[in-house]
Amino acid sequence: MSEAVQPTPAFTPRVFSGIQPSGGLTLGNYLGAIKRFVDMQGSGVETIYCVVDMHAITVWQDPAALVRQTRELTAGYLAAGLDPTRSILFNQSQVAEHAQLGWIFNCVARLGWMNRMTQFKDKAGKNAEKASLGLYAYPALMAADILLYHATHVPVGEDQKQHVELTRDIAAKFNHDFGTEFFPMTEPVIEGAATRVMSLRDGSKKMSKSDPSDASRINMTDDADAIAKKIRKAKTDPEPLPSEAEGLAERPEARNLVNIYAALSEQTVEQVMAEVGGRPFSEFKPLLADLAVDKLAPISTEMARYMQDPAEIDRILKDGAGRARAIAAPILQKTYEIVGMVGA
Ligand code: ATP
Ligand code: MG
């Protein structure tokens, strides 16, 4: 069992997390999420991983692109080492209980809570009046994704911490309002050197698959040339790397590249600094590019192989949806009973 996954009283430890098929996978998704999902697989805890297509459509998705992105994300999970016999892997829309519990949580969450969500503010931008209602309600659906499985631990990147905290608020209010201890207080699991990989063009902005600038990110499907070029062009300052990790504190772009190097090589930042501290970027960037190509090329080759057999991907998702529903349906049924909804 990973050290981060300790049982919470009365609930069997269970891991849930998801990624949106809102574009191609980035290095941020790999290091902040997928790689850690795979690592948790061997921890003796049930692991449930989702392609959250209902979250993706909170912003416009071309239908044909959504189909391809859903399969490509699934291929990315599989290529990175997610084993559909050891984990449950499925797409959210195929387990209707997510939407059903999401509605209940829309009625539990308070407008004041939703108004504090920074992801909505970032994504809606200046023109919030034109944003979809779904984008605003997104965190309540995310709470449903997690609590539908009574998940106790959610591995995510730093940017999702606020949404997991909201999930706890929703669980606590539901439990309090109905006088029950039905939902667990889920813990976010945010660990490692790359919990917030930044844009290669702007050290103050998160690397995102939906960023309009392709140069801002490394895609899992980029070839060696594209990776090397993007790292060579990554924004930095003119100074060489500092000799100690503390020297990175005020240098976001340098810190980002060092963090990426640490996560890819599975070292601490201190170990990386012992290796490359004091070197100019003209030496460090090629080292980073080689490492990134080394780690990502086998995954992207494997992704391409899976993509040649979409029927097999669809079969894996369907099988996962059936297994997910077997856990979700009784939890939703019990929720309905607690709330007072009459049914069989
Ligand atoms: P979008 O731009 O559509 O929101 P995204 O790249 O932010 O896409 P998500 O599907 O929203 O990806 O997030 C999936 C997971 O990847 C989450 O756990 C999130 O915290 C993590 N993640 C996303 N971007 C990064 C990043 N730059 N660094 C580390 N983790 C990240
Ligand atoms: Mg995101």
Side-chain angles (χ1 to χ4, degrees):
M1 184 185 285
S2 145
E3 261 176 42
V5 184
Q6 296 300 332
T8 48
F11 289 94
T12 310
R14 186 180 276 153
V15 170
F16 176 93
S17 200
I19 300 181
Q20 304 181 69
S22 48
L25 281 168
T26 72
L27 181 65
N29 301 135
Y30 175 63
L31 294 175
I34 297 192
K35 185 171 186 298
R36 300 173 49 232
F37 297 177
V38 172
D39 290 344
M40 283 178 136
Q41 241 179 184
S43 62
V45 176
E46 188 167 25
T47 44
I48 306 174
Y49 297 123
C50 193
V51 177
V52 284
D53 48 3
M54 288 158 67
H55 287 286
I57 61 164
T58 56
V59 298
W60 168 252
Q61 302 293 337
D62 171 75
L66 183 61
V67 170
R68 184 172 34 76
Q69 287 161 192
T70 297
R71 289 183 180 142
E72 199 177 89
L73 171 50
T74 309
Y77 274 130
L78 297 167
L82 208 137
D83 176 350
T85 64
R86 288 203 290 162
S87 292
I88 296 178
L89 177 58
F90 71 106
N91 60 318
Q92 183 189 26
S93 60
Q94 301 311 299
V95 178
E97 284 81 356
H98 286 251
Q100 294 172 293
L101 187 61
W103 181 257
I104 307 259
F105 288 168
N106 281 346
C107 303
V108 173
R110 305 289 94 181
L111 287 182
W113 302 356
M114 308 311 272
N115 288 337
R116 287 197 287 275
M117 294 298 115
T118 58
Q119 176 177 286
F120 177 76
K121 289 178 199 162
D122 291 346
K123 290 202 169 179
K126 291 194 186 71
N127 210 352
E129 294 280 311
K130 290 269 166 68
S132 74
L133 182 55
L135 188 67
Y136 187 69
Y138 175 126
L141 179 60
M142 178 165 156
D145 300 336
I146 294 166
L147 294 172
L148 189 55
Y149 301 94
H150 280 181
T152 55
H153 295 84
V154 181
V156 278
E158 179 67 40
D159 61 298
Q160 291 299 323
K161 185 166 187 248
Q162 192 183 35
H163 289 164
V164 183
E165 285 166 358
L166 182 92
T167 300
R168 294 163 64 95
D169 290 341
I170 289 176
K173 181 163 165 58
F174 181 98
N175 288 349
H176 174 266
D177 289 354
F178 294 102
T180 168
E181 292 296 325
F182 187 59
F183 288 116
M185 290 299 124
T186 306
E187 298 280 350
V189 184
I190 302 170
E191 31 178 51
T195 56
R196 188 171 178 83
V197 176
M198 307 310 281
S199 157
L200 298 179
R201 309 303 298 162
D202 177 352
S204 68
K205 226 170 116 190
K206 184 181 86 67
M207 184 182 285
S208 288
K209 58 176 120 68
S210 63
D211 192 313
S213 160
D214 190 61
S216 72
R217 60 175 166 263
I218 292 174
N219 303 300
M220 294 301 288
T221 50
D222 282 345
D223 62 21
D225 284 350
I227 293 175
K229 188 167 167 213
K230 286 176 179 177
I231 291 179
R232 194 168 62 241
K233 291 198 160 176
K235 188 178 164 206
T236 47
D237 54 47
E239 302 298 318
L241 286 171
S243 49
E244 309 280 334
E246 295 77 63
L248 293 167
E250 304 299 322
R251 299 175 60 188
E253 284 88 11
R255 188 173 66 232
N256 187 38
L257 297 184
V258 169
N259 283 345
I260 293 173
Y261 192 94
L264 283 171
S265 61
E266 304 195 344
Q267 299 183 84
T268 62
V269 169
E270 287 69 27
Q271 287 168 324
V272 173
M273 294 316 287
E275 185 186 333
V276 300
R279 299 229 207 159
F281 284 106
S282 57
E283 285 179 25
F284 176 57
K285 282 179 166 179
L287 286 179
L288 177 59
D290 284 351
L291 176 65
V293 169
D294 244 33
K295 297 285 176 182
L296 300 185
I299 302 176
S300 69
T301 307
E302 196 56 10
M303 265 174 91
R305 199 180 61 78
Y306 278 109
M307 284 302 279
Q308 283 171 0
D309 193 354
E312 173 63 4
I313 291 180
D314 294 0
R315 190 199 62 74
I316 288 170
L317 289 175
K318 189 171 177 204
D319 174 70
R323 286 154 60 210
R325 194 173 308 109
I327 301 171
I331 291 179
L332 181 74
Q333 184 54 42
K334 181 74 187 160
T335 309
Y336 277 2
E337 282 167 27
I338 292 171
V339 172
M341 290 171 157
V342 177

